[in-house]
Amino acid sequence: MARRKGYPSDLTDQQWELVEPLLPAVNTGGRPEKHPRRAIVDAIFYVVRTGCSWRQLPSDFPPRQTVYRYFTGWENAKVTEKILAAVRTQLRVQEGRHPEPSAGLVDSQTVKAADTVGAESRGYDAGKKINGRKRCIVTDTLGLLITVVVCAASRHDRDGAKPVLLQAYLATPVRFVFADAAFAGRLLDWATSVLRTTIHIVRKPAGQRGFAVIPRRWAVERTLGWLTAHRRLARDYERDPAISEAMIRWAAIG
């Protein structure tokens, strides 16, 4: 089948060679799939990058019902987690690092929630004065995403950090994590006793005024900035927080 005209969000041939083997085996009873998988993946990246709704997918992509069915099916099979780990490993090796990280960074980001987000999974962040959701992420020291958890914005950073740090503990050898002052307090004792992980609080220099790059923290803050450059992530549109997490992983893969 001839490929359609490309979009800037499409995978290159080299990127597709990395992604294709990580997708689940074809299960169509011996019949060929009706739509190329590469077109499905490109459609997902298009939604994440442009911020359009599934209904507004251009007509030269496979039908939006088909794309969304693959999107949810692959998420149930943890495909984004597998691809993310493979991409992270490859990039770390290219940078001369060990394939698996031993140290990480944790941070959070509060974003407004669209009217499609139900009251049961949203909240008000009094510090940021935003009604929406909070994204807690752990990255390696290069800023490459390891894990993400989406919760109501009203949840304190220390509470939101527990599940994302637990996921990072189970997925990687990370046992030392840099964080800002919002994560100080009881979380440090919890991480030490439960996860055998040390959280090191990196504080701003005394007397600092205005913006300044903070050593050891800038990489994760840069990652949060990269994520919101994807229009689908400029605010939270997803009814289910798990779908929000999937969108973030697709953006990080891209």
Side-chain angles (χ1 to χ4, degrees), residues 53-70:
S53 66
W54 296 105
R55 291 178 179 274
Q56 293 175 319
L57 263 179
S59 59
D60 53 354
F61 282 116
R64 50 107 175 170
Q65 299 94 331
T66 301
V67 175
Y68 189 74
R69 176 166 55 81
Y70 274 93

Side-chain angles (χ1 to χ4, degrees), residues 7-193:
Y7 293 94
S9 55
D10 287 355
L11 291 176
T12 65
D13 291 343
Q14 184 179 12
Q15 291 166 344
W16 175 240
E17 288 176 3
L18 175 65
V19 170
E20 184 180 20
L22 300 173
L23 299 177
V26 177
N27 184 19
T28 58
R31 301 187 306 274
E33 291 183 299
K34 185 175 181 180
H35 300 283
R37 288 185 164 202
R38 185 169 179 176
I40 300 291
V41 174
D42 284 341
I44 294 172
F45 277 125
Y46 184 90
V47 170
V48 175
R49 175 61 75 177
T50 67
C52 77
S53 66
W54 296 105
R55 291 178 179 274
Q56 293 175 319
L57 263 179
S59 59
D60 53 354
F61 282 116
R64 50 107 175 170
Q65 299 94 331
T66 301
V67 175
Y68 189 74
R69 176 166 55 81
Y70 274 93
F71 173 85
T72 54
W74 287 344
E75 195 53 38
N76 291 336
K78 301 186 181 298
V79 167
T80 53
E81 296 178 26
K82 296 174 185 176
I83 299 175
L84 191 62
V87 172
R88 185 178 63 246
T89 296
Q90 185 180 83
L91 290 173
R92 287 183 60 83
V93 170
Q94 289 177 0
E95 291 291 325
R97 304 292 186 95
H98 190 278
E100 288 289 346
S102 59
L105 311 167
V106 63
D107 206 350
S108 70
Q109 179 186 62
T110 301
V111 294
K112 291 182 179 179
D115 55 9
T116 50
V117 175
E120 70 281 358
S121 64
R122 67 194 294 162
Y124 184 71
D125 184 333
K128 303 290 178 60
K129 296 180 172 56
I130 293 176
N131 188 322
R133 281 181 175 156
K134 182 171 290 185
R135 300 162 179 164
C136 295
I137 68 171
V138 173
T139 71
D140 68 3
T141 53
L142 295 176
L144 303 175
L145 185 67
I146 296 175
T147 54
V148 56
V149 169
V150 173
C151 58
S154 53
R155 196 169 183 179
H156 195 280
D157 284 358
R158 290 190 297 268
D159 297 324
K162 288 183 178 180
V164 78
L165 287 170
L166 176 59
Q167 289 182 13
Y169 171 86
L170 295 174
T172 68
V174 168
R175 300 296 180 266
F176 191 94
V177 178
F178 296 97
D180 65 24
F183 297 91
R186 292 174 294 178
L187 178 66
L188 277 64
D189 294 334
W190 176 86
T192 300
S193 61

